Amino acid sequence: MRCTLGVDVGTSSTKGVLVAADGAIIASATRAHDVSRPRTGWVEMDAAIWWDEFVSITRELLSAHPDAEVTAVGVSGMGPCILLADEDDEPVRPAILYGVDTRAGDQIERMTADLGVAEITRVGGSTLTSQAGGPKIAWVADEEPDAWARARRLFMPASWLARKLTGAYVLDHQSASQVSPLYDIENEQWHAPFWEQYAATIAQPRLAWAGDIAGTVTDDAAALTGLAAGIPVITGTIDAWTEAVSVGAHEPGDLMLMYGTTMFMVFTNSVATGEETLRTPSMWTTAGVFPGTRNLAGGLSTSGALTAWLKDLTDADYPQLLAEAEASGPGARGLLVLPYFAGERTPIQDPDARGVIAGLTLEHSRGDLYRAALEATALGVRHNVETMREAGADIRRIVAVGGGTQGQLWLQVVSDVTGLVQEVPATTIGASYGAAFLAATATAADAEAPLITDWNPVAQTITPNAALRATYDTLFDRYVRLYAATVEVVHELAADQRAATDSAPHSRPSTSSTEES
């Protein structure tokens, strides 16, 4: 039985799938894990987990299906992450995660002052925020000189798996474009002057596109994983972009909504057809998965992470909470939540933002809180969509993907709050499925290359309830005004939190969500 293997390393789990040539899922496996939060604003992970879980998942899938003939391997992972390794590929410290890790504020300020906003944006497409990889590299150089002295290579989860499997030192263009400001987005190459200034001792990874073949499985990797030596392995990319591939949301005008531990949005346009690269300080401009494409992207720092927090806090299960939230009704009986429980990424770009629950009374229930949390993530999506449109994004199609799409109420709330029609595909397993598809296309003859519309057709369409438009227009206005009204106080509280952590550093419990994709 010929098939492809796709494996994705996410924030709270690693997922693997075996996928037949027609797109049918033969088998899947998952390994849950936690991130580490040693200080307020720090989110990191031991890279050994990524490889160990890849090996464990692959062996499980192959053992359960000994007749499976894996023809290619697809890899994917959360990002942009910064994993620095020495010349022997030993990590010099845990990987620093994407925009939820906000430690590099001083480096962002210094690099912005040194280079200038205009030049940073001209070269890299985006201003420097907690999402940018460059300041996190600079943070290691500034704060951990011993680790920096040993650092020689730069990896992300997908490229780490590709390295372990094939020995190739390669990074895809999309991931590289998020190592701002070290990548030149218009010329699709590393920007030599900035690289020399901030990462001179790090060897530049070879650049490739996500679906390009990085190399083939080595004998050593074959012995560990059970895969046959010589199988092609794609370069891979960041999970949100692989998820967009998994549902076909990568054509010009497409917007993907990824429902996971965080909410992620990716809009695609094409410079190959003469469209300009869209830029706005509030969002992230990146290279796309495929040559000639560009993305305007955004992300909430919490979505599934927020609902998981409420679940654990109230000692309830998801079916209970969803039923109670549905009974609460639109507007959550007068509650309004700002979902900034881990700072916020786009469009406010404020790592010191904090969660706010406004309107609480003794009469409110956990169902009201859960409903308000769902509405908060939807309001955050609307804020991002409106910002994208103001920047020139002509959004013509919206596709939903990720673990959170299994909950019908959440989908409906997002459509009602935003006014968007969402297409939901038959398979929403996410990035691992997209990685398997990229692997299948990379190794197929042109005439035999699969189409994602055949693999994963649209299964349902979520239409907004027009009768709720006025209700949610009013709530959105209050949502925007609530942040402006509370920002000074929450920034003071964020400073107190940092001071308390810095005076008594300790390891804080990790959080994870089964809704992460």
Side-chain angles (χ1 to χ4, degrees), residues 306-469:
L306 176 55
T307 58
W309 174 77
L310 276 170
K311 170 185 170 292
D312 293 342
L313 195 66
T314 59
D315 195 27
D317 59 28
Y318 285 120
Q320 284 178 296
L321 288 170
L322 287 167
E324 293 171 10
E326 190 156 16
S328 174
R333 299 200 306 131
L335 284 185
L336 177 59
V337 170
L338 297 183
Y340 309 149
F341 284 58
E344 188 53 295
R345 297 188 286 175
T346 61
I348 64 172
Q349 303 284 13
D350 184 359
D352 286 339
R354 293 293 182 267
V356 174
I357 304 174
L360 269 176
T361 71
L362 295 175
E363 284 72 41
H364 282 110
S365 68
R366 68 185 182 187
D368 298 323
L369 279 168
Y370 199 77
R371 174 80 187 210
L374 295 178
E375 290 180 339
T377 62
L379 290 161
V381 171
R382 177 168 172 173
H383 203 182
N384 277 273
V385 167
E386 293 193 1
T387 303
M388 286 181 172
R389 284 177 167 154
E390 289 170 1
D394 180 16
I395 300 171
R396 301 189 291 273
R397 176 173 174 259
I398 299 94
V399 186
V401 68
T405 60
Q406 304 303 312
Q408 195 72 20
L409 179 60
W410 197 2
L411 285 167
Q412 189 63 54
V413 167
V414 169
S415 278
D416 290 344
V417 169
T418 63
L420 299 173
V421 175
Q422 298 177 82
E423 295 180 1
V424 184
T427 299
T428 60
I429 197 169
S432 56
Y433 190 73
F437 176 79
L438 285 172
T441 58
T443 53
D446 289 343
E448 299 173 352
L451 299 175
I452 196 61
T453 50
D454 293 332
W455 269 39
N456 196 15
V458 173
Q460 64 170 321
T461 301
I462 309 298
T463 304
N465 183 347
L468 297 176
R469 184 67 186 183

Side-chain angles (χ1 to χ4, degrees), residues 4-8 15 17 19 72-77 210-211 234 236-237 239 241-243 245-246 430-442 455:
T4 52
L5 169 68
V7 178
D8 171 67
K15 299 179 182 178
V17 288
V19 183
V73 177
V75 291
S76 170
I234 64 164
T237 189
D239 55 5
W241 279 259
T242 319
E243 293 225 34
V245 170
S246 78
S432 56
Y433 190 73
F437 176 79
L438 285 172
T441 58
W455 269 39

Side-chain angles (χ1 to χ4, degrees), residues 151-418:
R152 293 295 180 270
R153 298 190 182 103
L154 166 67
F155 296 99
M156 294 192 193
S159 66
W160 182 248
L161 296 182
R163 177 70 166 182
K164 290 285 193 178
L165 286 165
T166 72
Y169 181 45
V170 61
L171 189 67
D172 69 287
H173 285 274
Q174 199 292 311
S175 299
S177 71
Q178 298 205 55
V179 190
S180 307
L182 307 186
Y183 178 88
D184 182 339
I185 193 164
E186 297 298 353
N187 293 304
E188 297 176 346
Q189 62 186 20
W190 294 116
H191 186 65
F194 291 172
W195 189 282
E196 183 64 26
Q197 187 168 351
Y198 296 106
T201 59
I202 308 297
Q204 293 180 355
R206 173 174 63 86
L207 292 170
W209 295 98
D212 291 345
I213 295 173
T216 59
V217 175
T218 64
D219 291 340
D220 288 345
L224 287 170
T225 63
L227 293 164
I231 295 173
V233 179
I234 64 164
T235 301
T237 189
I238 292 172
D239 55 5
W241 279 259
T242 319
E243 293 225 34
V245 170
S246 78
V247 294
H250 50 72
E251 298 296 329
D254 287 349
L255 174 69
M256 181 210 64
L257 299 183
M258 186 184 82
Y259 291 72
T261 299
T262 68
M263 181 79 78
F264 213 85
M265 291 142 277
V266 180
F267 170 77
T268 300
N269 67 324
S270 174
V271 295
T273 59
E275 297 178 342
E276 66 174 315
T277 300
L278 300 179
R279 291 172 166 85
T280 174
S282 301
M283 310 296 290
W284 306 311
T285 296
T286 75
V289 172
F290 302 107
T293 59
R294 297 287 185 272
N295 298 126
L296 196 60
L300 310 186
S301 291
T302 63
S303 56
L306 176 55
T307 58
W309 174 77
L310 276 170
K311 170 185 170 292
D312 293 342
L313 195 66
T314 59
D315 195 27
D317 59 28
Y318 285 120
Q320 284 178 296
L321 288 170
L322 287 167
E324 293 171 10
E326 190 156 16
S328 174
R333 299 200 306 131
L335 284 185
L336 177 59
V337 170
L338 297 183
Y340 309 149
F341 284 58
E344 188 53 295
R345 297 188 286 175
T346 61
I348 64 172
Q349 303 284 13
D350 184 359
D352 286 339
R354 293 293 182 267
V356 174
I357 304 174
L360 269 176
T361 71
L362 295 175
E363 284 72 41
H364 282 110
S365 68
R366 68 185 182 187
D368 298 323
L369 279 168
Y370 199 77
R371 174 80 187 210
L374 295 178
E375 290 180 339
T377 62
L379 290 161
V381 171
R382 177 168 172 173
H383 203 182
N384 277 273
V385 167
E386 293 193 1
T387 303
M388 286 181 172
R389 284 177 167 154
E390 289 170 1
D394 180 16
I395 300 171
R396 301 189 291 273
R397 176 173 174 259
I398 299 94
V399 186
V401 68
T405 60
Q406 304 303 312
Q408 195 72 20
L409 179 60
W410 197 2
L411 285 167
Q412 189 63 54
V413 167
V414 169
S415 278
D416 290 344
V417 169
T418 63

